[in-house]
Amino acid sequence: MFRTALRNLLAHKTRLMMTALAVLLGTAFVSGTLVFSDTVGGAYRDRLSKSLDDVAVSVTAGGPSTDAKDKNALDDGMARRIAAIPGVASVRPSVSGMPVIADRHGDPVGGDWGSDGANYVPGKDGKDSRYPLVKGRGPAAEGEIALDAKTAKKLGATLGGTVRLAVDGPVMTKKLVGVVTTDNPRVSAGAGLALFDTATAQKLFGKPGEFTELVVSATPGTDQTALTAKVRAMLPKSFEARSGQELAASQAKMIDQQTSSIRKTLLIFAGISLFVGVFIIANTFTMLIAQRTREIALLRAVGASRRQVVRSVLIEAGLLGLVASALGFVLGLGVAKGLHPVLNQTGGSLPDGPLVIEPSAVLSALGVGVVVTVLAAWLPSRKAARIAPVEALASVEAAPAARGLVVRNSIGAALTALGVGLMLYVTKFKDSDGISFAMAGSALTLAGLIVLAPLLSRPVVRFFGRLAIRLAGVSGKLARENALRNPRRTAATASALMIGLTLITGLTVGAVSADRGMSTMGAPDMTADYKVSSTSYLGLSPDIARTLAGQPGVAAAVPLRTTGFQLDTSPGSVTATDVRALPKVVTVTVVSGSLADVRGTTGVAVSDKFAKEHRLTVGSTLPMAFYDGKKAAPRVVAVYKDSSILSSVLSTPALVDPHQDKARDDQVLVKAAPGKAKELPGKIKETLGNPIIKVQSQDDLRRSEAGSVDDILYLMYGLLGMAVVIAVIGVVNTLAMSVFERTREIGMLRAIGLDRREVKRMVRLESVMIAMFGAVLGVGAGVFLAWSGGHMLRSSFPQYEMVVPWGRIAVFLLLALAVGVLAAVWPARRAAKLDTLEAIGAQ
């Protein structure tokens, strides 16, 4: 039976080619995902091991503390005390931040990634081992800078040239004195790197004399755990000391979580592609068995048992799956290589590294391909085994049993009803508590439609058949009858396309609805024309607000800065601003009291929500414990409605500034003078000439809220595109095998007057009907599932309102029409080229 299976595989290799292609593409997705995630994990671990080579203990200032005795700073004194601990070889002080480097056009280098900034700490040899020099030297004075090689190349900068950058204030110009390499994964993903001498880095990113981290190296033979305990014992409570082993373990765990989430997400789409491929495989083997009925009958007549027939078909499927999976694995290496830039483009921040091919990835890819192919061929093999020798010799293909269709339709109706019922139940939920019901309901609805598809195909195909008859006459009628002849085959072929379009339509409706909801969010309380903010997390220098206020065309420039505090055990935040000027740029609705009384350090206003939570009224005292250890107890002088712009507490800068390391504004709201709004953004950028500056109108703010939705949607389109491609292959495969099956019939049609053009038209119209049936079913199911599932967002996303993007749905239907036409090109040409006499004489 093995030889029989091998012979059948070789004898029908052309007819099995499309099936093999479907398995190949699905396996390529699986293997590509596994290799890609292993590669990313390997690249992260490689950089991690290099960066932690000499780290025995890492000391950082922990979370903010309200204890005045707990000075939250790492300085030279702390470094010296740690260096005096037995077992410490050296203490390397580190300062880090996020400068913004300007390119030739004044835009930030690295785009969304921004840039990393750090101090260059030369050793005895004058070099910093963390940043190997490519050329030049490390920065040693305030006016000097070193860049990573990629950033220097982007800028076209040469040694001795100048580099423009900013941190939170005016643009600085520094001399490029060195170019380095780095293992920083953010830099390998596109971010920039700027290095400064330690004093300059402290001035730019923190406080003079203070560090971000102290990296402790141990003497040979020192136990890291014991050394970490000694360091931890001498630190204030808010400081954190972790051993290199702890750092490696925590970062390795984080890497595993990140790569695992990527792997799981991509494997879901790979699973969808393979699931779609199951229909093609099952359809192919069903048709092959029907065409080999006489051959199977002879095998049964000469003594082959039913079990041997089943085994023969499954061996054939296994060999097909093995060959296709092996080729798919090779293609998957290309997929793994291509996923890296695609995900980085959409915010992945993944490091470069050589492909990592683990044995588990190879075995998993091959195993999945073979198992899926064998399972898909199992039902057709059972059908083959049930053929009685005498009956098979007398019949080419028996019509499906009426009972079988009745049972199938009953099961399909029950599944569909249960799924629709669950999705209608989901509409009662207002949050994610209904997600499990939604997942079950979606699965049951799709499963029911797949089972019910043969019944549903008749009215839909008849509808499109009427249109075909009007357009093509006899060819259209023949196409309709061919599509209706075997509803199971038509349904299986269309179901593959239906699954892909259901998911694409559901995602599109959900994404467009979310986009519309987000576009109404923005900053509804903002009456200013523009919001000026920073591309870095460090905020803006107060000089920027003062500069803007003095510009022609600016009616008001109001800065807002925020800091945190503790109220009992609850964290809170306070917005400080010029309260008198605030109404020019923000709508503030006062519930009680007066904003005019918010002054100095004695009076604050609170939002109504915050007041209700903490039982505050006008006249109450608000005990505030700031994170520098100092406290304040201003009086509540006003209560205002909760705002999208303001924090829960509103005060003047006089209350907030003493508790900040450096006074920085989070944003500056700018109101244009009458008639000057359109030209103001250009003037602001030209006046400041600063790469950290981001100027956004209210429309820009709304678009930024929704901007990532389209990026995610297009990525999903790309991932689901593989399933659609496999569905198209299924249509081609079914039509090609159907043409072979109907060779004699086509010959007879040619003999009674149907010309080659009409034969082509017949096959094309049949393909279009199958594709449109799948599209109508998929689009309808997708819209329903998106509508019912969208109700779960009502509490967390009240702006969400379902929008049916008719334009995009029309595009999907047109694409389905194009799929039908393109899928029929090869089968139609093959049918038209059949020799009439040879076709009539075919067995």
Side-chain angles (χ1 to χ4, degrees):
M1 296 310 293
F2 179 81
R3 289 197 299 270
T4 301
L6 185 60
R7 179 184 59 78
N8 285 332
L9 186 64
L10 296 175
H12 302 100
K13 54 183 177 292
T14 303
R15 281 179 253 175
L16 289 168
M17 181 176 64
M18 289 296 176
T19 303
L21 188 56
V23 178
L24 184 150
L25 291 175
T27 307
F29 209 156
V30 172
S31 61
T33 297
L34 296 176
V35 171
F36 171 75
S37 58
D38 288 338
T39 297
V40 171
Y44 271 122
R45 288 185 182 87
D46 180 58
R47 283 159 175 75
L48 175 62
S49 64
K50 290 180 180 178
S51 64
L52 296 178
D53 271 347
D54 60 343
V55 178
V57 185
S58 169
V59 180
T60 56
S65 172
T66 56
D67 187 350
K69 298 179 180 178
D70 191 4
K71 189 189 175 196
N72 207 2
L74 294 174
D75 52 20
D76 288 321
M78 179 68 72
R80 285 193 295 270
R81 289 196 295 275
I82 293 174
I85 296 175
V88 173
S90 64
V91 177
R92 186 179 68 214
S94 176
V95 183
S96 60
M98 292 183 67
V100 180
I101 305 169
D103 63 16
R104 300 172 187 174
H105 307 289
D107 296 322
V109 170
D112 292 339
W113 305 123
S115 299
D116 283 349
N119 61 322
Y120 189 87
V121 184
K124 294 179 180 179
D125 59 354
K127 298 178 181 179
D128 189 333
S129 59
R130 295 174 299 171
Y131 307 108
L133 284 164
V134 176
K135 53 185 175 181
R137 59 176 176 82
E142 185 174 358
E144 297 178 345
I145 190 174
L147 299 175
D148 68 284
K150 286 186 178 179
T151 301
K153 185 177 180 180
K154 286 178 186 176
L155 296 177
T158 56
L159 293 181
T162 57
V163 177
R164 296 175 64 246
L165 73 150
V167 176
D168 64 346
V171 177
M172 298 172 282
T173 301
K174 295 190 180 293
K175 180 181 177 182
L176 181 65
V177 297
V179 177
V180 303
T181 60
T182 177
D183 293 319
N184 187 328
R186 269 178 40 85
V187 176
S188 69
L193 173 67
L195 300 175
F196 309 89
D197 67 283
T198 298
T200 302
Q202 289 173 331
K203 181 179 177 182
L204 294 175
F205 306 130
K207 289 182 177 180
E210 293 188 3
F211 308 107
T212 308
E213 179 185 19
L214 296 177
V215 178
V216 181
S217 297
T219 56
T222 301
D223 181 72
Q224 280 192 10
T225 304
L227 183 60
T228 303
K230 291 178 183 178
V231 172
R232 191 177 288 138
M234 61 158 292
L235 294 174
K237 293 180 181 179
S238 66
F239 281 59
E240 187 175 15
R242 291 190 293 173
S243 69
Q245 295 166 346
E246 289 175 323
L247 281 175
S250 64
Q251 292 189 32
K253 184 178 180 181
M254 181 183 66
I255 290 168
D256 288 338
Q257 289 174 343
Q258 183 175 3
T259 55
S260 175
S261 62
I262 294 173
R263 177 185 294 214
K264 288 177 182 177
T265 302
L266 294 175
L267 283 178
I268 288 172
F269 290 95
I272 292 169
S273 298
L274 285 169
F275 183 62
V276 169
V278 166
F279 291 92
I280 300 169
I281 300 164
N283 225 11
T284 300
F285 277 93
T286 299
M287 296 176 76
L288 279 175
I289 286 165
Q291 293 166 17
R292 284 161 33 196
T293 308
R294 293 178 183 272
E295 179 185 323
I296 294 170
L298 286 172
L299 286 172
R300 295 281 284 116
V302 297
S305 66
R306 290 187 175 187
R307 183 176 296 178
Q308 286 177 310
V309 172
V310 171
R311 192 182 304 155
S312 173
V313 175
L314 294 183
I315 289 172
E316 186 178 342
L319 291 172
L320 175 69
L322 184 61
V323 172
S325 299
L327 295 174
F329 181 80
V330 175
L331 180 61
L333 299 180
V335 172
K337 200 70 177 175
L339 278 172
H340 189 279
V342 169
L343 292 181
N344 268 351
Q345 194 69 28
T346 55
S349 187
L350 304 172
D352 294 321
L355 285 179
V356 176
I357 305 174
E358 297 286 351
S360 59
V362 180
L363 295 175
S364 297
L366 295 179
V368 165
V370 172
V371 169
V372 166
T373 310
V374 170
L375 287 177
W378 183 74
L379 283 177
S381 73
R382 299 281 295 176
K383 181 180 178 182
R386 285 197 299 268
I387 298 173
V390 175
E391 180 186 354
L393 288 170
S395 174
V396 176
E397 182 182 4
R403 183 186 174 189
L405 287 176
V406 170
V407 171
R408 175 172 179 152
N409 292 340
S410 300
I411 294 173
L415 288 173
T416 306
L418 184 58
V420 170
L422 274 175
M423 293 311 294
L424 291 176
Y425 176 64
V426 167
T427 62
K428 304 297 182 183
F429 288 89
K430 294 184 179 182
D431 51 37
S432 59
D433 288 346
I435 188 67
S436 57
F437 292 102
M439 292 174 67
S442 299
L444 286 170
T445 302
L446 271 179
L449 289 175
I450 291 169
V451 176
L452 209 56
L455 178 65
L456 298 174
S457 67
R458 292 186 178 277
V460 178
V461 170
R462 287 187 186 281
F463 171 77
F464 287 111
R466 292 193 191 99
L467 298 177
I469 292 170
R470 290 184 182 181
L471 292 172
V474 174
S475 297
K477 185 174 183 179
L478 290 170
R480 184 188 68 181
E481 296 307 315
N482 288 335
L484 290 172
R485 181 182 304 181
N486 193 328
R488 288 180 173 179
R489 182 183 301 171
T490 298
T493 307
S495 293
L497 187 60
M498 180 201 75
I499 294 166
L501 282 176
T502 297
L503 296 172
I504 288 175
T505 303
L507 282 171
T508 301
V509 172
V512 170
S513 301
D515 185 80
R516 183 72 59 87
M518 287 182 178
S519 68
T520 64
M521 292 170 65
D525 300 320
M526 190 175 90
T527 57
D529 294 298
Y530 298 100
K531 170 186 169 183
V532 178
S533 58
S534 169
T535 57
S536 74
Y537 73 95
L538 293 175
L540 300 169
S541 166
D543 293 336
I544 288 177
R546 288 191 285 267
T547 301
L548 290 175
Q551 293 302 306
V554 174
V558 182
L560 279 71
R561 63 189 64 159
T562 304
T563 194
F565 66 92
Q566 288 279 130
L567 175 58
D568 298 326
T569 58
S570 303
S573 60
V574 52
T575 297
T577 186
D578 181 349
V579 180
R580 293 183 181 180
L582 185 64
K584 297 179 182 178
V585 292
V586 176
T587 299
V588 185
T589 304
V590 177
V591 177
S592 59
S594 172
L595 291 182
D597 294 330
V598 178
R599 58 171 68 96
T601 60
T602 59
V604 297
V606 297
S607 71
D608 54 353
K609 183 178 178 181
F610 185 81
K612 184 178 180 180
E613 288 175 354
H614 298 281
R615 299 179 181 180
L616 298 171
T617 59
V618 173
S620 299
T621 298
L622 178 63
M624 305 172 73
F626 291 95
Y627 292 118
D628 62 350
K630 299 177 183 177
K631 297 181 180 180
R635 189 169 62 90
V636 176
V637 297
V639 177
Y640 57 89
K641 281 192 176 181
D642 205 48
S643 169
S644 62
I645 301 290
L646 305 176
S647 300
S648 50
V649 179
L650 176 65
S651 76
T652 64
L655 178 67
V656 167
D657 288 356
H659 307 290
Q660 292 187 318
D661 293 340
K662 185 188 292 186
R664 293 185 178 94
D665 295 325
D666 298 315
Q667 56 187 291
V668 179
L669 301 182
V670 179
K671 185 71 174 177
K676 302 294 184 181
K678 287 186 178 180
E679 60 191 47
L680 198 56
K683 286 189 174 181
I684 290 174
K685 291 181 180 179
E686 183 181 349
T687 299
L688 298 175
N690 197 319
I692 69 170
I693 296 299
K694 183 164 57 175
V695 182
Q696 296 171 289
S697 66
Q698 294 205 35
D699 285 340
D700 294 332
L701 289 171
R702 284 189 285 268
R703 282 195 294 270
S704 68
E705 291 283 352
S708 60
V709 173
D710 280 340
D711 292 338
I712 295 171
L713 181 60
Y714 291 136
L715 177 61
M716 294 297 183
Y717 281 167
L719 295 173
L720 287 172
M722 184 72 77
V724 176
V725 169
I726 293 175
V728 173
I729 291 170
V731 179
V732 175
N733 198 35
T734 299
L735 289 173
M737 296 187 71
S738 181
V739 166
F740 179 85
E741 195 176 69
R742 302 199 306 257
T743 299
R744 180 182 291 184
E745 178 185 316
I746 293 170
M748 292 296 294
L749 291 171
R750 289 291 314 283
I752 61 176
L754 200 69
D755 62 25
R756 293 180 186 274
R757 180 179 298 177
E758 289 174 317
V759 170
K760 284 184 177 180
R761 191 179 299 155
M762 175 186 71
V763 177
R764 277 199 297 266
L765 288 173
E766 181 183 354
S767 175
V768 167
M769 288 179 200
I770 293 173
M772 293 307 294
F773 168 54
V776 169
L777 215 57
V779 167
V783 171
F784 170 72
L785 294 177
W787 167 77
S788 51
H791 284 76
M792 292 186 294
L793 298 172
R794 284 180 294 181
S795 62
S796 60
F797 189 2
Q799 294 85 1
Y800 181 90
E801 182 179 353
M802 179 175 161
V803 177
V804 180
W806 296 111
R808 294 197 190 190
I809 286 177
V811 170
F812 296 158
L813 294 175
L814 288 174
L815 287 174
L817 181 65
V819 163
V821 173
L822 293 174
V825 170
W826 178 55
R829 288 186 63 188
R830 188 173 181 273
K833 286 183 178 181
L834 289 174
D835 182 88
T836 303
L837 293 178
E838 289 182 2
I840 292 173
Q843 296 295 320

